Amino acid sequence: MKAASGRIRIIGGHLRNSRLNVPDLPGLRPTPERVRETLFNWLAPTIAGVQALDLCAGTGALGIEALSRGAETVQFVEPDASAADALRDNLSRLKAHGGEVASVDAVRFLQRTPQRFGLVFLDPPFALQLWAPLTRTLEEGGWLAAAAQIYVESPRGQAPAVPANWALHREGHAGEVRYALYRRIGSDPLS
């Protein structure tokens, strides 16, 4: 699902009403404005200063929205070269400081030395069924801060299995998409 004009809008923060150029790529599903608005209302008390990971970035709308609203840094991960280039161009054009793009798939990215993130956006291409390996690696690989929040998009009616210490905080549905925000609780496996 792509905006007809090939552009989507940032809805809040200092980049509010800025437009992101969206490449015409098969399977690219920018998170709709209504869902982003709901998500960032949920995140409002905790977004300032957070280090975030947009693991299956696509357009980067979630991560750029986070930068616009006060996230300190966002690591974008996008394997498609055209999408990664468009993301870099959008970050540069908007002077959205704190964003870095890695042109690699999410599984390979998580094989690197971990860095702790307080917020993770996990919206993989639905057809690839990546939720189980990515959530497991995020949790077991040391990628999450002790009280991290993890946003997950999946097909409606299909709540992916997540680690036992991820407590569902809020969820909703939009069209054929389920979106949910989890909060990590309990002990840190690397402590």
Side-chain angles (χ1 to χ4, degrees), residues 9 14 17 27 36 42 68 78 81 89 106 113 115 117 121 127 145 147 154 159 163 170 191:
R9 180 175 70 99
H14 73 277
N17 291 324
R36 282 185 282 126
W42 296 344
S68 179
E78 175 51 49
D89 290 346
T113 301
Q115 171 186 344
F117 293 99
F121 301 109
S154 58
R170 301 242 175 121
S191 295

mmCIF file of all heavy atoms in Angstrom, residues 9 14 17 27 36 42 68 78 81 89 106 113 115 117 121 127 145 147 154 159 163 170 191:
data_model
loop_
_atom_site.group_PDB
_atom_site.id
_atom_site.type_symbol
_atom_site.label_atom_id
_atom_site.label_comp_id
_atom_site.label_asym_id
_atom_site.label_seq_id
_atom_site.Cartn_x
_atom_site.Cartn_y
_atom_site.Cartn_z
ATOM 1 N N ARG A 9 3.619 11.766 4.317
ATOM 2 C CA ARG A 9 3.825 12.941 5.168
ATOM 3 C C ARG A 9 4.255 12.534 6.573
ATOM 4 O O ARG A 9 3.719 11.592 7.151
ATOM 5 C CB ARG A 9 2.499 13.698 5.217
ATOM 6 C CG ARG A 9 2.491 14.938 6.045
ATOM 7 C CD ARG A 9 1.155 15.657 5.901
ATOM 8 N NE ARG A 9 0.079 14.933 6.543
ATOM 9 C CZ ARG A 9 -0.408 15.210 7.751
ATOM 10 N NH1 ARG A 9 0.090 16.214 8.449
ATOM 11 N NH2 ARG A 9 -1.388 14.516 8.264
ATOM 12 N N HIS A 14 9.286 18.300 14.826
ATOM 13 C CA HIS A 14 9.858 19.445 14.105
ATOM 14 C C HIS A 14 9.856 19.260 12.586
ATOM 15 O O HIS A 14 10.012 20.235 11.849
ATOM 16 C CB HIS A 14 11.265 19.782 14.629
ATOM 17 C CG HIS A 14 12.330 18.819 14.232
ATOM 18 N ND1 HIS A 14 12.563 17.636 14.912
ATOM 19 C CD2 HIS A 14 13.218 18.851 13.216
ATOM 20 C CE1 HIS A 14 13.563 16.994 14.336
ATOM 21 N NE2 HIS A 14 13.972 17.703 13.311
ATOM 22 N N ASN A 17 4.641 17.744 8.607
ATOM 23 C CA ASN A 17 4.196 18.092 7.247
ATOM 24 C C ASN A 17 5.279 17.971 6.187
ATOM 25 O O ASN A 17 5.023 18.263 5.023
ATOM 26 C CB ASN A 17 3.533 19.475 7.189
ATOM 27 C CG ASN A 17 2.210 19.475 7.911
ATOM 28 O OD1 ASN A 17 1.476 18.489 7.882
ATOM 29 N ND2 ASN A 17 1.896 20.577 8.580
ATOM 30 N N GLY A 27 5.734 -4.590 -2.897
ATOM 31 C CA GLY A 27 5.687 -5.016 -1.503
ATOM 32 C C GLY A 27 5.969 -3.930 -0.484
ATOM 33 O O GLY A 27 5.886 -4.181 0.716
ATOM 34 N N ARG A 36 0.566 5.609 12.428
ATOM 35 C CA ARG A 36 1.722 6.320 12.985
ATOM 36 C C ARG A 36 1.289 7.316 14.056
ATOM 37 O O ARG A 36 1.935 7.436 15.093
ATOM 38 C CB ARG A 36 2.518 7.029 11.886
ATOM 39 C CG ARG A 36 3.402 6.079 11.106
ATOM 40 C CD ARG A 36 4.293 6.779 10.097
ATOM 41 N NE ARG A 36 3.528 7.120 8.922
ATOM 42 C CZ ARG A 36 3.441 8.330 8.388
ATOM 43 N NH1 ARG A 36 4.105 9.342 8.917
ATOM 44 N NH2 ARG A 36 2.717 8.540 7.316
ATOM 45 N N TRP A 42 1.154 6.839 21.743
ATOM 46 C CA TRP A 42 1.540 5.868 22.773
ATOM 47 C C TRP A 42 2.962 6.114 23.255
ATOM 48 O O TRP A 42 3.273 5.962 24.434
ATOM 49 C CB TRP A 42 1.454 4.444 22.240
ATOM 50 C CG TRP A 42 0.098 3.946 21.857
ATOM 51 C CD1 TRP A 42 -1.118 4.476 22.193
ATOM 52 C CD2 TRP A 42 -0.178 2.790 21.066
ATOM 53 N NE1 TRP A 42 -2.130 3.728 21.644
ATOM 54 C CE2 TRP A 42 -1.587 2.688 20.955
ATOM 55 C CE3 TRP A 42 0.602 1.840 20.435
ATOM 56 C CZ2 TRP A 42 -2.215 1.659 20.243
ATOM 57 C CZ3 TRP A 42 -0.008 0.817 19.715
ATOM 58 C CH2 TRP A 42 -1.414 0.739 19.631
ATOM 59 N N SER A 68 11.917 13.118 14.214
ATOM 60 C CA SER A 68 11.159 14.365 14.238
ATOM 61 C C SER A 68 10.621 14.672 15.627
ATOM 62 O O SER A 68 10.509 15.830 16.023
ATOM 63 C CB SER A 68 9.992 14.278 13.241
ATOM 64 O OG SER A 68 9.226 15.460 13.252
ATOM 65 N N GLU A 78 17.776 -1.435 5.766
ATOM 66 C CA GLU A 78 16.986 -1.657 4.553
ATOM 67 C C GLU A 78 17.848 -2.297 3.474
ATOM 68 O O GLU A 78 18.807 -1.688 3.006
ATOM 69 C CB GLU A 78 16.415 -0.323 4.047
ATOM 70 C CG GLU A 78 15.676 -0.414 2.738
ATOM 71 C CD GLU A 78 14.613 -1.506 2.703
ATOM 72 O OE1 GLU A 78 13.793 -1.583 3.647
ATOM 73 O OE2 GLU A 78 14.610 -2.293 1.741
ATOM 74 N N ALA A 81 18.459 -1.620 -2.381
ATOM 75 C CA ALA A 81 19.325 -0.476 -2.673
ATOM 76 C C ALA A 81 18.527 0.775 -3.028
ATOM 77 O O ALA A 81 18.864 1.872 -2.580
ATOM 78 C CB ALA A 81 20.298 -0.826 -3.795
ATOM 79 N N ASP A 89 18.432 9.917 0.861
ATOM 80 C CA ASP A 89 18.085 11.201 0.236
ATOM 81 C C ASP A 89 17.074 11.969 1.093
ATOM 82 O O ASP A 89 17.211 13.182 1.274
ATOM 83 C CB ASP A 89 17.507 10.984 -1.165
ATOM 84 C CG ASP A 89 18.549 10.515 -2.168
ATOM 85 O OD1 ASP A 89 19.770 10.609 -1.883
ATOM 86 O OD2 ASP A 89 18.144 10.031 -3.254
ATOM 87 N N ALA A 106 17.818 -7.572 7.524
ATOM 88 C CA ALA A 106 17.696 -7.524 8.981
ATOM 89 C C ALA A 106 18.402 -8.676 9.672
ATOM 90 O O ALA A 106 19.057 -8.490 10.703
ATOM 91 C CB ALA A 106 16.219 -7.500 9.375
ATOM 92 N N THR A 113 27.970 -7.051 16.027
ATOM 93 C CA THR A 113 28.080 -6.804 17.461
ATOM 94 C C THR A 113 26.890 -5.962 17.887
ATOM 95 O O THR A 113 26.611 -4.922 17.278
ATOM 96 C CB THR A 113 29.391 -6.051 17.773
ATOM 97 O OG1 THR A 113 30.476 -6.848 17.313
ATOM 98 C CG2 THR A 113 29.538 -5.789 19.252
ATOM 99 N N GLN A 115 24.193 -3.492 19.665
ATOM 100 C CA GLN A 115 24.114 -2.159 20.255
ATOM 101 C C GLN A 115 22.755 -2.119 20.935
ATOM 102 O O GLN A 115 21.785 -2.661 20.410
ATOM 103 C CB GLN A 115 24.196 -1.129 19.131
ATOM 104 C CG GLN A 115 23.928 0.277 19.551
ATOM 105 C CD GLN A 115 23.885 1.214 18.346
ATOM 106 O OE1 GLN A 115 24.330 0.884 17.258
ATOM 107 N NE2 GLN A 115 23.336 2.385 18.555
ATOM 108 N N PHE A 117 19.208 -0.759 22.053
ATOM 109 C CA PHE A 117 18.199 0.195 21.602
ATOM 110 C C PHE A 117 17.043 0.223 22.585
ATOM 111 O O PHE A 117 16.616 -0.813 23.078
ATOM 112 C CB PHE A 117 17.681 -0.186 20.206
ATOM 113 C CG PHE A 117 18.718 -0.042 19.125
ATOM 114 C CD1 PHE A 117 19.427 -1.147 18.674
ATOM 115 C CD2 PHE A 117 18.998 1.198 18.576
ATOM 116 C CE1 PHE A 117 20.395 -1.025 17.688
ATOM 117 C CE2 PHE A 117 19.965 1.338 17.589
ATOM 118 C CZ PHE A 117 20.665 0.222 17.145
ATOM 119 N N PHE A 121 11.430 -0.667 15.838
ATOM 120 C CA PHE A 121 10.305 -0.795 14.922
ATOM 121 C C PHE A 121 10.534 -2.062 14.112
ATOM 122 O O PHE A 121 11.561 -2.187 13.436
ATOM 123 C CB PHE A 121 10.220 0.413 13.983
ATOM 124 C CG PHE A 121 10.068 1.719 14.703
ATOM 125 C CD1 PHE A 121 11.114 2.626 14.749
ATOM 126 C CD2 PHE A 121 8.878 2.051 15.339
ATOM 127 C CE1 PHE A 121 10.983 3.841 15.406
ATOM 128 C CE2 PHE A 121 8.727 3.264 16.010
ATOM 129 C CZ PHE A 121 9.788 4.156 16.038
ATOM 130 N N ALA A 127 5.353 -11.500 3.686
ATOM 131 C CA ALA A 127 5.568 -12.772 2.989
ATOM 132 C C ALA A 127 6.811 -13.514 3.481
ATOM 133 O O ALA A 127 6.893 -14.735 3.347
ATOM 134 C CB ALA A 127 5.671 -12.539 1.484
ATOM 135 N N ALA A 145 17.584 -2.550 25.196
ATOM 136 C CA ALA A 145 17.791 -1.962 26.519
ATOM 137 C C ALA A 145 16.841 -2.646 27.496
ATOM 138 O O ALA A 145 15.855 -3.268 27.096
ATOM 139 C CB ALA A 145 17.520 -0.456 26.466
ATOM 140 N N ALA A 147 14.458 -1.784 29.433
ATOM 141 C CA ALA A 147 13.029 -1.461 29.380
ATOM 142 C C ALA A 147 12.621 -1.055 27.956
ATOM 143 O O ALA A 147 11.786 -0.172 27.772
ATOM 144 C CB ALA A 147 12.695 -0.356 30.368
ATOM 145 N N SER A 154 2.000 -6.826 11.768
ATOM 146 C CA SER A 154 1.791 -8.162 11.213
ATOM 147 C C SER A 154 0.419 -8.192 10.547
ATOM 148 O O SER A 154 -0.375 -7.277 10.726
ATOM 149 C CB SER A 154 1.881 -9.220 12.316
ATOM 150 O OG SER A 154 0.922 -8.970 13.326
ATOM 151 N N ALA A 159 -1.093 -12.633 15.292
ATOM 152 C CA ALA A 159 -0.170 -12.052 16.267
ATOM 153 C C ALA A 159 1.054 -12.954 16.342
ATOM 154 O O ALA A 159 0.955 -14.105 16.755
ATOM 155 C CB ALA A 159 -0.833 -11.943 17.629
ATOM 156 N N PRO A 163 9.048 -13.066 22.498
ATOM 157 C CA PRO A 163 9.632 -13.566 23.739
ATOM 158 C C PRO A 163 8.702 -13.362 24.937
ATOM 159 O O PRO A 163 7.934 -12.387 24.984
ATOM 160 C CB PRO A 163 10.920 -12.741 23.869
ATOM 161 C CG PRO A 163 11.291 -12.421 22.446
ATOM 162 C CD PRO A 163 9.966 -12.174 21.765
ATOM 163 N N ARG A 170 -0.083 -2.102 24.080
ATOM 164 C CA ARG A 170 -1.245 -1.622 23.336
ATOM 165 C C ARG A 170 -1.248 -2.291 21.969
ATOM 166 O O ARG A 170 -0.199 -2.656 21.441
ATOM 167 C CB ARG A 170 -1.174 -0.111 23.112
ATOM 168 C CG ARG A 170 -1.096 0.701 24.375
ATOM 169 C CD ARG A 170 -2.292 1.591 24.480
ATOM 170 N NE ARG A 170 -2.305 2.297 25.738
ATOM 171 C CZ ARG A 170 -2.304 3.607 25.857
ATOM 172 N NH1 ARG A 170 -2.268 4.369 24.793
ATOM 173 N NH2 ARG A 170 -2.371 4.164 27.038
ATOM 174 N N SER A 191 23.144 -9.508 31.795
ATOM 175 C CA SER A 191 23.595 -8.920 33.055
ATOM 176 C C SER A 191 24.301 -9.940 33.918
ATOM 177 O O SER A 191 24.025 -11.094 33.889
ATOM 178 C CB SER A 191 22.410 -8.360 33.840
ATOM 179 O OG SER A 191 21.841 -7.284 33.124
#
